[in-house]
Amino acid sequence: MYAQMVKSTGKGVQSRDDMSPEDKAFQDRIDRGEKIEPKDYMPEAYRKTLIRQIGQHAHSEIVGQLPEGNWITRAPTLERKANLLAKVQDEAGHGLYLYCAAETLGVSRDELVEMLHSERMKYSSIFNYPTLTWADMGAVGWLVDGAAIMNQVPLQRTSYGPYARAMVRICKEESFHQRQGYHIMIKMAKEGTADQKRMAQDALNRFWYPALMMFGPSDKDSVHSAQSMAWKIKINTNDELRQKFVDETVPQAEFLGLTIPDENLRWNDETGHYEFSEPDWSEFFEVISGNGPCNAERLSTRRKAWDDGAWVREAMLAHARKSQKRSQAAE
Amino acid sequence: MTLSAAENPLFEFLLRQGDNALVLGHRTSEWCGVAPVLEEDIALANMALDLIGQTQLWLGYAGEVEGAGRTADDLAFLREVYDYRNLLMLEVPNGDFGRTQMRQFLFDAFQVPWLTRLQDSTNTRVAEIAAKCLKEALYHLDRSSHTVIALGDGTEESNRRMSDALTFLWPYSGEVFKVDATDHAMAEAGVAPLPSDLHSVWLETVERVLTEACLTLPEGTFAQSGGRTGFRHTEHLGHMLAVMQTLQRSYPGAAW
C-alpha cells in the first residue's frame, strides 16, 4: 500500500445531521456508487484528503524508482536488465498519471514535489529499506508489488473518477511486475545454486515485515480511515488487506521452499486464515518519521536530482517561450 | 579458440554494433530515477530499454556467427575490456544531462544514416536487425536533436553547458569514421558501407542542429580512437564492466 496513515478530517465520520444540503447530496452520490469528477461539487475535506492520498501514492512511485534503480546497472542478464528498466519506467509513468490525477484537484505537480522535498508529504515506508542483493529485485516484485496490488485493486472502484481510472491502468502493470518478481524468486530459490537460495531467503527475511507494514497499523479505531471509507477513497481496512496478503503469500513462499520469518505463523482451520505476528510497529513509526535505514539517502537523492535538473527545466521553459514568440512574430 | 578480427570480420563488425548499444544503454540507464523532470525519467528509461533490446539482437547474432556457443549474455557479461568494441564516446561518464543528450545526438546523427544503409546489406540478418533498430534510432534522433536545440537555445547557463559538452565530446565524435580492415572487409562483402562514406551526411545533420541550438561547430578534426578496435579504451570502461558483470563473474554458471 503506497498511501499509509492518510489523514482526513480527524473527527470521525460526519453525521448526516451535520451536513450541508450540498454535502448530503454529495454523500448520496457516493453511496449510490457514482463517480465524482473534477468539476463536480466536493467538500473541501474530501478534496484535501484525496490530495494527500494521491500525492503520497505518486511520491511513492517516484522514490520507489530508487531501490530498484540500484540494480539496473548490475542486472545479471540482458533480459533481466530490460525487464527491470521497463518496470522502473512503468513506475515513473504511474507517478505521472497520479500527479495528473492530483492536478485535477487543484494542486500542481511542482507544489507536490516541493512538499515531498520539504518533508511535508510522505511516501511509503517500504522504499526506505535498502536493496542489497539481486534477490531483493525478486522480493520487491513479489512482496512489495504484491502488497500494492492488494490495496490498489479495490481502489479501481474508488469514488474519485480520475484516481479510479489511473488505478485501472496501474493495476495491470503492477500484476505484471509481481509476476516478474516471483519469477526471479523461482529462478533463485527453487532452481538456483546454494548461494542463490541463501540470497532468496535473506531477501524474504528482510522484506517480510516491511511488506506487512505497507498496509499501515490497524485502523479499526482510526477516525481518518472511517471517514475515508465513508467517502469510498479507502475501500478495505488495513487489517483486512494485510490478512488477504498473508493468506495469498504464505503458499507462494512454500512453493518456493522459503521460510516466512515468523514462528507464530500457522493456518487456522476455523477462521480459514493464517495467524501471524504483527510487525514491530515502533520500527514502522521510526521509518515514517524519517529514521528508516534509507530515508535520508532517498530524500537527498531526490532533492539532488531536482536541484541538478533546475537548469534543464529553466532552459526548456525559456526555449518554449522563445519559440512561441518567434512563431508569433512570423505570423 | 577465438578467431581474430581478420579471420572473422563479420563477428568483429557485429560486436561493434552490439557493444555500442550495450555501453550506451548502460550509461543511459544510470539516469534512472534522477533525471531533471519525470518525463525525462520515462524517456531515458525508454531509450535505455531500446538500446538493451538492440544489444540482444546484435550480440545474439554475433554469438551465432562466432560459432563457439556463446550467447548474447556470455558476450555482454564475460568479456574483458579489450574485447569490447564500442566507441569511446559512449563509455565516458554521463556528465550532466546536457552532455548525455549531446552524446546521444552525435551518436544518433550517425546511427540513422548508418542503419538506413544497413537495411540494404547483402547479409539478410544484418538488414533485418538494422530495420528494427532504425525505427528506434529515428525516434531517438528526433528527441535528442530537439533536446540539444532547446538546451542550446534556452538560457545563458544552458548554452554554456551545451557548449562545454560539445567541446568535451567533439574529439571522440570522429572515431566512428576511422576505417580499418574490418570496415573494408564488410564493404567488400556488401554487408555495410564504409562508415567514412557517411561523414558528410552526419556533419550536415550536426551543423544544422548545432546552428539551431546557437552553438558553434568546433574546429578541431583530431579524433580519439581505440574503442571500436579494442586497442585502447578509456579508464572508464573497466569500472563499467566491473559493475555490469559483477553477478556473472561472482557466481559462474548460475542461471538468473
Side-chain angles (χ1 to χ4, degrees):
Chain A
M1 182 165 181
Y2 289 167
Q4 295 159 321
M5 302 186 70
V6 176
K7 289 182 181 159
S8 62
T9 57
K11 294 175 192 156
V13 183
Q14 196 182 18
S15 77
R16 280 192 76 84
D17 296 342
D18 298 338
M19 287 182 192
S20 65
E22 291 99 328
D23 287 358
K24 269 184 202 156
F26 172 82
Q27 188 63 50
D28 289 343
R29 290 190 63 195
I30 289 188
D31 294 345
R32 285 196 300 268
E34 288 178 25
K35 291 275 179 271
I36 308 300
E37 296 299 335
K39 287 181 178 161
D40 296 351
Y41 170 81
M42 64 185 83
E44 188 58 12
Y46 173 87
R47 195 182 68 85
K48 283 192 172 153
T49 306
L50 261 180
I51 289 176
R52 271 193 288 268
Q53 181 167 332
I54 300 174
Q56 198 181 111
H57 191 160
H59 297 327
S60 298
E61 299 283 358
I62 300 311
V63 178
Q65 294 180 92
L66 301 176
E68 292 183 296
N70 182 37
W71 278 91
I72 287 178
T73 55
R74 290 179 288 171
T77 67
L78 293 169
E79 191 184 345
R80 290 289 184 208
K81 195 188 284 286
N83 289 346
L84 193 56
L85 267 167
K87 181 180 180 203
V88 176
Q89 185 193 22
D90 284 347
E91 281 156 12
H94 298 172
L96 198 60
Y97 315 148
L98 289 162
Y99 284 128
C100 290
E103 280 181 333
T104 64
L105 293 159
V107 59
S108 74
R109 198 204 306 179
D110 284 0
E111 286 172 281
L112 289 169
V113 166
E114 202 282 316
M115 284 194 269
L116 170 68
H117 292 171
S118 60
E119 299 177 59
R120 284 182 293 143
M121 279 185 93
K122 296 189 188 304
Y123 55 90
S124 175
S125 56
I126 193 72
F127 302 117
N128 290 312
Y129 289 88
T131 53
L132 304 180
T133 72
W134 177 251
D136 289 16
M137 295 303 98
V140 166
W142 171 35
L143 302 173
V144 175
D145 290 85
I149 290 167
M150 291 290 159
N151 175 52
Q152 291 171 6
V153 165
L155 283 178
Q156 295 177 98
R157 293 181 281 117
T158 193
S159 61
Y160 190 56
Y163 190 27
R165 290 189 287 273
M167 278 305 150
V168 172
R169 196 155 158 194
I170 290 174
C171 282
K172 278 187 199 150
E173 294 176 347
E174 296 286 13
S175 15
F176 187 64
H177 298 164
Q178 193 200 14
R179 281 202 295 277
Q180 272 179 1
Y182 195 64
H183 188 252
I184 291 176
M185 292 312 264
I186 289 176
K187 284 301 251 193
M188 296 183 76
K190 217 169 153 63
E191 302 167 7
T193 63
D195 281 327
Q196 288 175 308
K197 286 182 178 159
R198 188 175 160 220
M199 278 186 245
Q201 181 64 54
D202 171 68
L204 175 59
N205 293 348
R206 281 181 288 108
F207 276 100
W208 174 252
Y209 288 106
L212 295 187
M213 290 178 202
M214 287 175 70
F215 299 95
S218 178
D219 54 6
K220 53 182 182 289
D221 304 318
S222 165
V223 289
H224 298 297
S225 297
Q227 179 61 69
S228 288
M229 288 177 85
W231 280 332
K232 293 189 188 164
I233 55 182
K234 185 180 170 87
I235 310 287
N236 304 89
T237 69
N238 295 348
D239 289 327
E240 282 167 6
L241 292 169
R242 188 169 13 252
Q243 183 68 57
K244 191 166 179 328
F245 174 75
V246 171
D247 289 347
E248 286 193 16
T249 309
V250 171
Q252 293 168 350
E254 281 167 2
F255 177 79
L256 293 170
L258 296 176
T259 309
I260 302 269
D262 179 0
E263 287 177 359
N264 300 317
L265 186 81
R266 63 178 56 81
W267 176 253
N268 183 327
D269 249 340
E270 279 176 30
T271 60
H273 293 292
Y274 283 94
E275 292 171 9
F276 58 95
S277 303
E278 287 281 307
D280 175 358
W281 291 112
S282 64
E283 176 181 314
F284 171 79
F285 287 109
E286 286 296 339
V287 175
I288 279 284
S289 61
N291 293 324
C294 298
N295 293 58
E297 213 171 313
R298 299 281 187 251
L299 260 183
S300 79
T301 301
R302 284 306 309 163
R303 286 193 196 113
K304 184 176 185 306
W306 188 249
D307 294 344
D308 287 352
W311 72 270
V312 176
R313 296 189 302 275
E314 283 160 21
M316 292 286 186
L317 214 60
H319 170 69
R321 287 195 191 116
K322 284 185 194 176
S323 307
Q324 201 179 10
K325 267 192 193 162
R326 280 191 289 257
S327 68
Q328 279 167 354
E331 275 168 16
Chain B
M1 196 187 122
T2 312
L3 296 175
S4 69
E7 289 164 313
N8 196 348
L10 179 59
F11 176 60
E12 182 83 1
F13 165 85
L14 293 168
L15 288 183
R16 289 177 179 182
Q17 314 314 311
D19 290 348
N20 279 346
L22 175 57
V23 166
L24 183 59
H26 184 101
R27 284 291 184 227
T28 308
S29 78
E30 290 173 351
W31 276 101
C32 171
V34 295
V37 67
L38 191 47
E39 284 79 353
E40 286 299 332
D41 275 306
I42 297 172
L44 286 161
N46 202 40
M47 307 268 300
L49 199 52
D50 286 348
L51 290 163
I52 298 304
Q54 296 181 9
T55 305
Q56 289 173 296
L57 297 174
W58 290 121
L59 292 187
Y61 184 36
E64 288 175 41
V65 165
E66 185 192 32
R70 289 201 281 185
T71 63
D73 281 341
D74 293 334
L75 290 170
F77 295 100
L78 297 171
R79 271 181 305 149
E80 303 292 340
V81 164
Y82 47 65
D83 294 324
Y84 264 71
R85 294 291 182 267
N86 59 283
L87 297 167
L88 298 177
M89 181 170 79
L90 308 181
E91 74 193 38
V92 294
N94 287 333
D96 66 8
F97 181 77
R99 197 209 276 179
T100 302
Q101 293 297 324
M102 181 63 83
R103 167 171 66 195
Q104 186 70 46
F105 164 67
L106 292 172
F107 180 66
D108 295 338
F110 174 78
Q111 282 301 91
V112 165
W114 174 245
L115 294 167
T116 304
R117 293 283 297 273
L118 289 188
Q119 292 184 112
D120 303 325
S121 174
T122 53
N123 180 313
T124 50
R125 287 288 295 282
V126 168
E128 282 163 15
I129 297 174
K132 185 177 181 304
C133 298
L134 178 62
K135 285 187 196 133
E136 294 167 349
L138 282 164
Y139 170 70
H140 295 177
L141 177 61
D142 185 54
R143 249 192 77 75
S144 61
S145 357
H146 279 107
T147 310
V148 165
I149 291 167
L151 296 179
D153 177 54
T155 63
E156 209 172 299
E157 182 187 1
S158 71
N159 180 271
R160 176 182 56 74
R161 283 177 181 265
M162 294 313 278
S163 172
D164 290 349
L166 187 58
T167 306
F168 176 85
L169 292 167
W170 192 250
Y172 292 109
S173 67
E175 182 185 6
V176 70
F177 303 111
K178 285 191 168 183
V179 299
D180 65 0
T182 299
D183 296 310
H184 284 293
M186 289 298 97
E188 277 157 31
V191 173
L194 282 177
S196 50
D197 290 350
L198 302 177
H199 183 260
S200 60
V201 59
W202 173 80
L203 194 62
E204 206 176 291
T205 307
V206 170
E207 276 182 322
R208 179 175 51 76
V209 169
L210 292 185
T211 305
E212 207 178 328
C214 314
L215 294 166
T216 315
L217 193 75
E219 284 174 5
T221 53
F222 174 75
Q224 297 284 359
S225 60
R228 69 197 296 270
T229 61
F231 178 69
R232 186 159 53 218
H233 279 277
T234 68
E235 291 177 347
H236 305 290
L237 184 62
H239 291 273
M240 180 194 288
L241 297 187
V243 170
M244 186 197 293
Q245 299 180 338
T246 177
L247 287 171
Q248 290 282 356
R249 297 282 191 188
S250 305
Y251 304 97
W256 301 91

